[in-house]
Amino acid sequence: MKSHHDLVRLEQVNLHFGRNHVLQNIDMALHKGCITTIIGPNGAGKTTLVKVVLGLTKPSTGNVWCEDGLRIGYMPQKLHIDRTFPLTVQRFLQTAQCKDKSLMLEALSDVGAETLLKESIHGLSGGEMQRVLLARALLRNPNLLVLDEPVQGVDINGQLELYALIARIRDQRNCGVLMISHDLHLVMSSTDHVICMNHHICCSGHPEQVSNDPSFVDLFGQRGAEQLALYNHHHNHRHNTHGDVVHEHCEHDHG
Amino acid sequence: MADFLILALLGGLGVAAIAGPLGSFVVWRRMAYFGDTLAHSALLGVSLGFLFDINLNVAVIACCVILALTLVTLQRQHLVATDTLLGIMAHSSLSLGLVAIALIDDIRVDLMAYLFGDLLAVTPEDLYWIYGGGILVAALLYKLWEPLLAITINEELAQVEGVRVTWVRLALMLLIAVIIAVAMKIVGIMLITSLLIIPAAAARRLASTPEQMAIGAAILGCIAVIFGLGLSYQWDTPAGPSVVVVSMLEFLILYSWPQRQLA
C-alpha cells in the first residue's frame, strides 16, 4: 500500500567522519510533487544529508535507493566563480547541456530573471544569482530539485517570493523538492513535509505537526516555536521584491 | 628569412596556440604553482633521459606525468599544505635534476638551453613533437571542453550532473604535463608557466566568455612569439625571455587601458 511515488529513499543511513557520528539512523523518503524541507541548527548535518541524497557522499552504513531515470536539478549553497573566469548568464546556462536560447529564456522567465540573459555572472546580486542558479537547475528538466539554502543572501521579501516561486515550480512541473533552510518561520507556508534534524531526525511531518512537537521546541527554543505558531495565523498576502502585495494564487507577471 | 628563424617561428606559434586555451584553465583553476612545479621536474626528466639514453621528450613527459600523479596522491593524504608540497617537489626535483646532470661524466649538457630555452635551435624533429603533442592536446581539450568548464564552475555540481570529476581533473593535469614537455624547448623550464598564464590573464580583459578568453590567449601568445623573435633577431636578445617580455607588455597595455568590465 504505497500512496506516494517515491523518488529517493534512505534506509538506516549512518555516516561517521572520524569520531563524529554525523548522521544517525536516518530514514527518509522524497516523493514526487512534494516539498520536503530539512531544518536544524548549524552543524546538524543538513548539508551532509543532502550530499548523501545527491550521491556525493557515501554513507558508512545504510542504503540509498533512487528511482530509475532520476534527474536531479541541484542548486548548491554558494557558487563562487573566480573573477578571472569570464562568464555571462547565457554561457552559464549553456553548461546545463542546453543550447536552445528560447528554453533558456523560458527557464529565466520562470524564475523572474528574463532580463539577465546577457549579464555578466560577476555583476549579479545575491538574489539574482540564486534565481539564475534555480533557472539552471530547471533547464535540466529535473524530477527532483535539490536546493541547499536557496534564499541565502536574499532579503526577507525576496525570501518569501523565492519560496513561493519554488512552490509554484513544484505545482507546474510536479517534481519533488528537497531543500535546506535554517529559517523556520519563512519556509513553513510553502512546504509539505518538514524534517527537523540534529544528527538524527528529531521529528518530521506536516509543518503544524512539527511546530507543536516537544523535540522541535527543544531544538529551537520556545521563542522559535512561538514565532512559528504566530506565523501560521496571519498573512493572507505576500510581498514581492518591490514591496507590492502579491496574492497567493494569482498569476504572476513581471514588468 | 633564415631557415632557423622559420623553424623557431613555427615552433613558437605551435606552442603559443595551444598554451593559450590550456593556460586559461591554469588561471581559472589557480594552478600556476602547479605548472611551475611540473616545469621544474622537467629537468629531472632531461637528466634521466641522458642517463638511460631515451628520447628526451619522452623522458620529460613521463617525468611530468609521474610527478603529477604523485602530487595528487600526496595531496589526498593531507600531510602538508598543498603549496608547501608543491614547493618541496618543485625544488627537490630541480635539484635532483641538476645533481644527476653533474654526475653524468661523458656528456656536456647546455644547462642554459634547458633552463631558459633555445628557441633559435629548434630542429625539424622538435617541430614534430610540438605539433604532434599540440594536436593531441588540442583534440583532447576540444573533447573535454564542456566537462572541464563544468568542474571549473563547481566540482560538486558537475559530479551531480554526471561528470567524472576525478578523471577530468587528472586529464587536465596530464595535458599540462605534455605541454610543459614540448614547450621546454621554446622558453625553458624557468619560463614555461609565463607562457601559460600571461597571455591568458591578458586575454581576460577582452573576453566575456571562456571561449573568447581561450582563443584570445592563443592569439596574444602568437603575437608575443612573433614580436619576441623579431626583438631577438634585431638586437640579439635571448629568444625565450624576449617572448615573455612581449607578452608582459601585452598584459600591461591591456590592463592599463581604461575600459568597461565585460563579464
Side-chain angles (χ1 to χ4, degrees):
Chain A
M1 50 155 277
K2 211 169 59 170
S3 56
H4 289 298
H5 177 135
D6 284 356
L7 296 169
V8 176
R9 267 198 308 270
L10 266 60
E11 285 154 1
Q12 286 297 301
V13 164
N14 281 279
L15 183 70
H16 299 266
F17 283 149
R19 268 181 298 171
N20 293 336
H21 198 173
V22 183
L23 298 178
Q24 304 167 1
N25 302 321
I26 305 280
D27 280 305
M28 65 183 259
L30 303 173
H31 315 298
K32 191 177 172 188
C34 171
I35 300 183
T36 304
T37 304
I38 302 175
I39 59 174
N42 284 336
K46 303 187 294 280
T47 297
T48 310
L49 178 57
V50 164
K51 283 185 180 171
V52 170
V53 171
L54 291 171
L56 291 172
T57 304
K58 292 260 170 295
S60 310
T61 60
N63 291 321
V64 180
W65 173 90
C66 294
E67 189 194 40
D68 277 346
L70 182 72
R71 279 184 72 80
I72 295 179
Y74 172 48
M75 176 172 159
Q77 189 177 90
K78 217 173 201 164
L79 196 68
H80 172 78
I81 296 177
D82 201 284
R83 283 201 81 87
T84 58
F85 192 59
L87 199 60
T88 58
V89 171
Q90 180 172 5
R91 187 65 189 84
F92 177 61
L93 294 179
Q94 280 171 7
T95 63
Q97 277 107 55
C98 170
K99 300 277 170 248
D100 189 341
K101 198 171 157 186
S102 63
L103 281 177
M104 288 184 221
L105 276 171
E106 199 183 305
L108 280 177
S109 79
D110 275 354
V111 300
E114 63 275 30
T115 56
L116 299 178
L117 189 70
K118 299 286 178 196
E119 294 292 314
S120 157
I121 212 104
H122 301 292
L124 301 184
S125 71
E128 286 170 339
M129 187 65 193
Q130 298 303 89
R131 282 163 193 268
V132 169
L133 283 175
L134 189 55
R136 188 184 177 285
L138 291 179
L139 270 179
R140 301 202 8 106
N141 210 5
N143 38 26
L144 176 64
L145 263 181
V146 178
L147 317 167
D148 191 347
E149 302 221 14
V151 299
Q152 217 183 36
V154 181
D155 65 52
I156 293 278
N157 289 324
Q159 291 188 12
L160 284 169
E161 212 194 339
L162 262 177
Y163 283 130
L165 175 63
I166 291 163
R168 196 162 54 236
I169 287 168
R170 184 272 317 266
D171 293 341
Q172 282 165 0
R173 301 181 176 237
N174 198 27
C175 56
V177 178
L178 172 66
M179 60 181 167
I180 293 182
S181 172
H182 59 224
D183 206 322
L184 12 148
H185 53 288
L186 285 178
V187 75
M188 283 298 173
S189 67
S190 49
T191 186
D192 308 306
H193 190 79
V194 176
I195 292 173
C196 175
M197 73 174 289
N198 191 9
H199 301 298
H200 62 281
I201 293 180
C202 304
C203 54
S204 68
H206 289 292
E208 293 82 10
Q209 220 175 310
V210 167
S211 61
N212 293 325
D213 194 293
S215 63
F216 178 84
V217 179
D218 270 358
L219 204 54
F220 287 103
Q222 192 61 37
R223 206 178 127 73
E226 270 168 14
Q227 270 180 351
L228 197 61
L230 274 179
Y231 180 74
N232 285 341
H233 291 215
H234 62 265
H235 284 195
N236 56 358
H237 64 270
R238 296 154 177 279
H239 301 270
N240 67 14
T241 36
H242 309 296
D244 302 323
V245 172
V246 179
H247 292 282
E248 260 331 332
H249 296 293
C250 70
E251 277 306 306
H252 148 110
D253 60 349
H254 285 272
Chain B
M1 212 182 338
D3 271 358
F4 73 92
L5 262 186
I6 293 174
L7 289 177
L9 194 61
L10 287 176
L13 291 177
V15 169
I18 190 64
L22 212 51
S24 300
F25 281 102
V26 174
V27 169
W28 296 331
R29 296 180 59 77
R30 305 190 167 210
M31 295 168 80
Y33 206 12
F34 168 78
D36 230 17
T37 304
L38 284 195
H40 280 67
S41 76
L43 193 71
L44 184 58
V46 170
S47 56
L48 292 179
F50 277 125
L51 205 57
F52 298 109
D53 197 23
I54 41 180
N55 182 298
L56 290 189
N57 287 298
V58 174
V60 169
I61 292 176
C63 199
C64 287
V65 167
I66 290 168
L67 190 95
L69 295 176
T70 315
L71 199 66
V72 174
T73 321
L74 287 179
Q75 223 174 350
R76 287 222 186 108
Q77 325 264 321
H78 296 288
L79 297 171
V80 284
T82 300
D83 59 334
T84 308
L85 188 63
L86 286 169
I88 292 172
M89 297 187 79
H91 298 114
S92 310
S93 56
L94 180 63
S95 304
L96 270 175
L98 290 168
V99 168
I101 285 178
L103 288 177
I104 306 171
D105 302 325
D106 49 344
I107 301 169
R108 286 281 129 245
V109 179
D110 180 10
L111 255 187
M112 286 300 276
Y114 291 108
L115 291 178
F116 298 104
D118 196 359
L119 185 47
L120 299 180
V122 169
T123 63
E125 200 213 326
D126 291 329
L127 284 189
Y128 291 133
W129 276 100
I130 290 171
Y131 280 86
I135 287 167
L136 180 75
V137 169
L140 282 170
L141 205 53
Y142 180 77
K143 197 166 154 40
L144 291 175
W145 189 255
E146 287 297 327
L148 277 168
L149 287 184
I151 68 165
T152 302
I153 289 170
N154 186 292
E155 294 198 348
E156 288 191 339
L157 189 56
Q159 196 175 341
V160 170
E161 295 177 357
V163 176
R164 295 165 75 183
V165 174
T166 317
W167 289 108
V168 176
R169 210 193 298 149
L170 197 62
L172 180 61
M173 287 185 174
L174 298 186
L175 293 182
I176 294 173
V178 172
I179 277 308
I180 282 174
V182 298
M184 188 178 68
K185 192 78 187 178
I186 307 298
V187 286
I189 288 160
M190 308 305 284
L191 299 176
I192 286 173
T193 320
S194 63
L195 210 59
L196 287 169
I197 63 174
I198 301 179
R204 173 66 183 92
R205 285 291 272 193
L206 305 169
S208 58
T209 63
E211 289 77 13
Q212 286 173 6
M213 180 157 150
I215 293 168
I219 293 171
L220 287 175
C222 288
I223 294 173
V225 165
I226 293 168
F227 283 91
L229 269 180
L231 198 74
S232 173
Y233 187 67
Q234 200 68 38
W235 286 289
D236 200 24
T237 53
S242 304
V243 171
V244 176
V245 167
V246 174
S247 58
M248 178 202 73
L249 289 175
E250 288 173 345
F251 176 85
L252 288 178
I253 291 168
L254 284 168
Y255 273 76
S256 51
W257 210 269
Q259 66 166 67
R260 70 202 168 88
Q261 184 70 36
L262 288 165

